[in-house]
Amino acid sequence: MTSWTTAPEHPGSPAARALWRAYYTEVSDRWYLLHEGRRTDPAELEREIAARPGSELTPPTGQLLIARYDGEPAGSAGVRLLDPATAELTRVFVHEGLRGRGG
């Protein structure tokens, strides 16, 4: 039986970095394919990842949640606190092959 689990994780963890890379690649490729007919340049991808390490997704300013499917990193959701009464969801992502499976 397969199962989902979700737990807080540091944005710099290997699982979080791999999911951020998959998320950014998908979003960036979608934009570039639509507007310029090409995929994201690998150097550009690395610059963006380095520029946005996710430090705002650590307490007390936020939290990163990593979803695992049968123990393997499968998705993420960041919660960034904008003020004491307002939060923003960010980096919401599930690997394409696992979408529609309740994650």
Side-chain angles (χ1 to χ4, degrees), residues 1 5 7 14 28 35-36 42 48 65 67 70 75 78 84-85 91 93 99:
M1 182 172 162
T5 58
S28 182
H35 297 284
E36 297 184 12
E48 182 65 22
L65 302 173
D70 280 346
R91 296 191 190 197
F93 175 76
R99 294 174 191 164

Side-chain angles (χ1 to χ4, degrees), residues 34-50:
L34 178 66
H35 297 284
E36 297 184 12
R38 67 174 179 90
R39 295 197 178 277
T40 306
D41 176 87
E44 180 182 33
L45 176 67
E46 294 308 316
R47 281 192 307 273
E48 182 65 22
I49 290 169

Side-chain angles (χ1 to χ4, degrees), residues 61-73:
T61 57
Q63 186 73 67
L64 180 66
L65 302 173
I66 298 294
R68 286 182 164 72
Y69 187 73
D70 280 346
E72 293 297 317

Side-chain angles (χ1 to χ4, degrees), residues 17 23 32 37 57 68 73 78 84 93 95 97-99:
R17 288 194 323 251
Y23 165 83
Y32 279 115
L57 300 177
R68 286 182 164 72
F93 175 76
H95 278 296
L98 295 172
R99 294 174 191 164

Side-chain angles (χ1 to χ4, degrees), residues 1-95:
M1 182 172 162
T2 55
S3 65
W4 286 93
T5 58
T6 305
E9 194 155 331
H10 190 275
S13 75
R17 288 194 323 251
L19 288 164
W20 172 228
R21 179 170 272 102
Y23 165 83
Y24 183 73
T25 299
E26 182 176 311
V27 170
S28 182
D29 279 354
R30 188 180 312 136
W31 190 91
Y32 279 115
L33 285 168
L34 178 66
H35 297 284
E36 297 184 12
R38 67 174 179 90
R39 295 197 178 277
T40 306
D41 176 87
E44 180 182 33
L45 176 67
E46 294 308 316
R47 281 192 307 273
E48 182 65 22
I49 290 169
R52 298 172 183 250
S55 55
E56 73 281 5
L57 300 177
T58 59
T61 57
Q63 186 73 67
L64 180 66
L65 302 173
I66 298 294
R68 286 182 164 72
Y69 187 73
D70 280 346
E72 293 297 317
S76 64
V79 179
R80 187 172 67 128
L81 302 177
L82 301 177
D83 61 49
T86 310
E88 171 186 62
L89 286 175
T90 184
R91 296 191 190 197
V92 178
F93 175 76
V94 174
H95 278 296

